[in-house]
Amino acid sequence: MRQPDQTEAPDYAVELNACSKEFTTPHGGTYQAVQDIDLKVEPGRFVSIVGPTGSGKSTILHMAAGLLEPSAGTAASFGVPVRGVNRRASYMFQQDALLPWKTVIDNVSLGLTMAGVPKPEANDRARRWLEKVGLKNFTDRYPHQLSGGMRKRTSLAQAWIVDPDILLMDEPFSALDVQTRQIMENELLALWQESGKAVVFITHDLDEAIALSDEVIILGAGPGSTVVGRYDITIPRPRDLLEIRDDPQFVELHREIWGRLKIEVSRTYQSTVRQEGGAA
Amino acid sequence: MSTTTERTGRNAGVARQRPRRRAGVTGPGVRAGQVGLTVLVLIAWELLCRVGVIDDFFFPRPSEILKTVWEWVGSGFVFPHLLITLEEAALAFITGAAAGLLLGFLLARVHFLEQLFEPFLKMFNALPRVVLAPIFLLWFGLGIWSKVAFGFTLVFFIVFFNTLEGVKSVDRVLIDNARMLGASERQLLRHVFIPSALTWIFSSLHISVGFAITGAVVGEYLGASAGMGYAIAQAQGVFDTTGVFAGMFILMFVVLIIDLLVNRVERHLLRWRPTNNG
Ligand SMILES: Nc1ncnc2c1ncn2[C@@H]1O[C@H](COP(=O)(O)OP(=O)(O)O)[C@@H](O)[C@H]1O
Ligand SMILES: [Mg+2]
């Protein structure tokens, strides 16, 4: 089914080659969101993309998922060009994406039931996942009856239950408070470790990116943003997320990457101010 | 008659805003006030009739109306008429809703068809539907089918436009999420589009049920041999205003009961939605 062919040469789980994306604006013009994006993620790697808001992070993830077609360049996954949605990937969306008319357990088991798994078995497996993310007492709730953190846990279970080879996560924790976020980050690392899954993780929080990843990619300011820096994070695993911010290696990396990111963030800020000034 | 024309013509569009559940339980104080107000108005009406301020030829006394209602119900006179009207309304509602749903989903999912049909649907919707009643009488005769056809045209457009809007306004991210989880086009329909459109369809259900009955009654009024509209027209023909009012009150109660049932169904099917006060 979703088994990667391990005997083959190392195909990338996610592979974007010189991908660009142009949107048509409401006035009929075009807006170049991202330009010449190269992104290669090996199976089992945890890669984060960091960039200012509006730099095209979600756009890149959508292209990797097959939800958006690149205007130029190619997208591939495990050596196969991505056409339509990428069946080997799960996606955790930035916004709430649970179906509001389904209970927690029906949301989590959805991927299985749609793939033809019988309902009782799908429910069993969903229950096991809900236990793993600490929601076993909330199986029959509707999404609006959950806190933001619980909804994210449900989304996490929904994405993982189908056992994908790739996890695309778009700022999954940015709407959470600091404590909940740290707990979720820990849970995510525990799940991912030894799962062999490739993770592409989007965040605007550099701390989070460094703490979790094997590689951090910095995206420049838009329009036409592109990759402006790549950093290997060699902090050994398993990592203790509660202590990692005091790790000298972490501090050094943070200083180095932030030096680069700062420039892009302030460019985004200035162009926003300019636009607002011009519009007024 | 002319007010009915206006209302059917104007209200037949899409329910403007997203449906919202009504505010929860009514407080006991409010309830008592409502009963008090009703009693007050009825007593005032009755007294003003008795002292001759209100001409009870045009506004018969509430006591007289109630007496006539009692006679019509007690003698069983009203039931065959009511049954015919409800039968026509039910048929109009079922066929109109089914056609509206089907076409609504189809056009919402096939962009080409939507563009193709849009001007024609707009044209028909712009037509005040009541003018169709006479032609339906000629086509389908005095029996129930002319009323069913008339009610159909009223119900169809409401359900159709709401379904179209409901399917098109589905949150993009819900579709994307379902597709990433492996949904086929059919599964998308079942797990995403239909449940989402349901909220819109239900917001229009109260209106469309009302219109199904309006269609039946107006149709009967214009030409029939049975039904509530016919009974009211008969009463009017002999200047029996009390009878006209009695017919009105009976219809009002029946529609209220149906509306309560619709509320029940709605509350069950839309139980996943947050309530306003919760
Ligand atoms: N469907 C779209 N149509 C037009 N412009 C879009 C669309 N999606 C995104 N954009 C624009 O592309 C840029 C990048 O968006 P996005 O990928 O969401 O950024 P990020 O996720 O980094 O905040 C933004 O300026 C946004 O306004
Ligand atoms: Mg984004």
Side-chain angles (χ1 to χ4, degrees), chain A residues 23-26 31-34 51-60 68 94 170-171 202 219 222-223 225:
Chain A
F23 291 112
T24 43
T25 56
Y31 181 84
Q32 182 88 30
V34 293
T53 40
S55 57
K57 304 183 294 293
S58 300
T59 305
I60 291 174
L68 273 181
Q94 187 172 2
D170 193 351
E171 305 198 26
I202 287 179
L219 215 56
S225 57

Side-chain angles (χ1 to χ4, degrees), chain A:
Chain A
M1 273 175 42
R2 280 179 183 254
Q3 212 117 80
D5 205 336
Q6 256 128 12
T7 55
E8 284 250 327
D11 276 326
Y12 292 108
V14 175
E15 188 179 354
L16 297 181
N17 291 309
C19 280
S20 303
K21 185 67 198 178
E22 248 176 30
F23 291 112
T24 43
T25 56
H27 318 293
T30 57
Y31 181 84
Q32 182 88 30
V34 293
Q35 202 158 11
D36 280 329
I37 300 291
D38 283 307
L39 175 69
K40 294 186 174 58
V41 182
E42 282 166 31
R45 288 265 285 181
F46 198 123
V47 175
S48 287
I49 302 176
V50 186
T53 40
S55 57
K57 304 183 294 293
S58 300
T59 305
I60 291 174
L61 217 56
H62 271 66
M63 291 193 294
L67 291 170
L68 273 181
E69 215 178 316
S71 318
T74 57
S77 176
F78 296 103
V80 186
V82 173
R83 222 166 264 125
V85 297
N86 185 348
R87 290 287 154 150
R88 297 178 74 165
S90 272
Y91 201 127
M92 239 183 112
F93 290 86
Q94 187 172 2
Q95 310 91 316
D96 262 330
L98 295 173
L99 297 178
W101 41 84
K102 286 190 186 294
T103 57
V104 166
I105 191 159
D106 285 344
N107 261 295
V108 173
S109 62
L110 183 62
L112 295 179
T113 49
M114 289 197 302
V117 176
K119 190 80 184 156
E121 190 197 328
N123 276 347
D124 273 355
R125 281 164 67 181
R127 232 172 252 118
R128 238 170 299 147
W129 266 101
L130 285 168
E131 203 162 328
K132 232 184 260 194
V133 297
L135 285 176
K136 68 171 175 189
N137 294 328
F138 298 90
T139 50
D140 293 327
R141 298 270 189 109
Y142 287 100
H144 81 263
Q145 298 167 319
L146 303 177
S147 69
M150 288 153 95
R151 281 202 287 270
K152 284 296 172 193
R153 280 157 205 261
T154 312
S155 295
L156 195 67
Q158 189 185 49
W160 279 73
I161 199 170
V162 292
D163 196 21
D165 298 315
I166 307 162
L167 267 144
L168 307 170
M169 307 179 78
D170 193 351
E171 305 198 26
F173 309 142
S174 58
L176 304 179
D177 60 274
V178 182
Q179 282 83 10
T180 317
R181 182 200 282 219
Q182 282 204 339
I183 296 168
M184 293 287 294
E185 287 168 1
N186 259 323
E187 283 176 7
L188 174 63
L189 272 195
L191 279 176
W192 168 75
Q193 240 132 42
E194 289 156 30
S195 70
K197 297 183 195 311
V199 176
V200 184
F201 188 95
I202 287 179
T203 176
H204 55 237
D205 179 356
L206 186 56
D207 278 25
E208 187 177 53
I210 299 174
L212 296 174
S213 317
D214 297 318
E215 183 181 350
V216 172
I217 292 174
I218 304 295
L219 215 56
S225 57
T226 189
V227 175
V228 296
R230 291 173 197 274
Y231 302 86
D232 276 323
I233 312 298
T234 48
I235 305 171
R237 294 184 190 273
R239 297 174 188 170
D240 180 356
L241 291 186
L242 298 178
E243 303 286 332
I244 200 168
R245 282 163 182 83
D246 301 326
D247 186 307
Q249 228 180 322
F250 180 95
V251 175
E252 182 48 42
L253 274 165
H254 191 282
R255 198 195 348 258
E256 186 188 345
I257 304 175
W258 176 240
R260 187 70 190 87
L261 184 58
K262 200 165 56 181
I263 303 170
E264 301 303 331
V265 171
S266 65
R267 272 178 49 196
T268 305
Y269 175 70
Q270 276 161 12
S271 78
T272 316
V273 170
R274 249 201 319 278
Q275 271 169 18
E276 278 168 7

Side-chain angles (χ1 to χ4, degrees), chain B:
Chain B
M1 261 317 292
S2 77
T3 50
T4 323
T5 318
E6 293 297 307
R7 292 200 46 224
T8 43
R10 297 268 157 80
N11 287 359
V14 178
R16 289 262 142 48
Q17 43 185 327
R18 286 223 98 161
R20 231 183 246 165
R21 175 152 319 171
R22 278 150 211 218
V25 202
T26 320
V30 177
R31 189 65 85 212
Q34 288 164 343
V35 173
L37 200 61
T38 312
V39 172
L40 204 70
V41 168
L42 287 180
I43 289 178
W45 180 356
E46 179 82 28
L47 288 180
L48 289 176
C49 282
R50 280 178 194 247
V51 298
V53 177
I54 296 179
D55 184 346
D56 60 5
F57 175 75
F58 294 109
F59 293 95
R61 298 174 191 176
S63 57
E64 292 294 320
I65 297 172
L66 281 178
K67 218 163 76 193
T68 310
V69 169
W70 186 247
E71 276 167 22
W72 283 17
V73 173
S75 68
F77 159 77
V78 75
F79 293 115
H81 292 298
L82 204 53
L83 215 62
I84 295 262
T85 302
L86 290 181
E87 189 187 342
E88 291 161 352
L91 284 171
F93 176 76
I94 291 166
T95 53
L101 283 175
L102 212 70
L103 207 67
F105 275 112
L106 194 68
L107 264 56
R109 294 302 290 155
V110 186
H111 190 58
F112 172 75
L113 287 181
E114 192 200 348
Q115 286 179 314
L116 183 69
F117 278 116
E118 201 201 336
F120 304 111
L121 289 161
K122 283 242 169 81
M123 261 165 54
F124 277 113
N125 191 41
L127 184 74
R129 240 53 55 70
V130 173
V131 305
L132 290 175
I135 199 78
F136 284 163
L137 268 179
L138 289 175
W139 288 350
F140 301 109
L142 287 178
I144 66 167
W145 292 109
S146 54
K147 287 83 192 171
V148 173
F150 180 44
F152 174 93
T153 62
L154 295 177
V155 172
F156 169 79
F157 281 97
I158 301 167
V159 174
F160 168 75
F161 282 116
N162 276 286
T163 307
L164 191 67
E165 206 49 46
V167 174
K168 289 205 305 187
S169 68
V170 177
D171 201 345
R172 180 82 233 168
V173 74
L174 297 186
I175 304 171
D176 284 346
N177 193 23
R179 284 177 64 208
M180 286 307 296
L181 290 168
S184 63
E185 189 69 15
R186 256 188 61 188
Q187 287 167 327
L188 269 186
L189 202 65
R190 168 162 167 224
H191 295 290
V192 183
F193 290 116
I194 292 179
S196 170
L198 264 184
T199 60
W200 284 77
I201 294 162
F202 266 100
S203 76
S204 65
L205 205 57
H206 295 275
I207 308 172
S208 46
V209 165
F211 270 141
I213 294 172
T214 306
V217 174
V218 172
E220 289 161 0
Y221 188 82
L222 291 180
S225 50
M228 286 306 288
Y230 169 79
I232 291 175
Q234 291 293 95
Q236 185 218 10
V238 296
F239 301 105
D240 173 15
T241 29
T242 316
V244 174
F245 270 88
M248 271 166 41
F249 273 85
I250 291 171
L251 267 178
M252 188 174 78
F253 273 104
V254 170
V255 173
L256 265 180
I257 289 166
I258 293 173
D259 209 49
L260 281 178
L261 291 178
V262 171
N263 266 340
R264 275 273 170 99
V265 177
E266 177 181 5
R267 208 170 316 148
H268 178 73
L269 283 176
L270 300 185
R271 64 192 177 281
W272 52 269
R273 275 203 310 180
T275 47
N276 274 352
N277 49 353

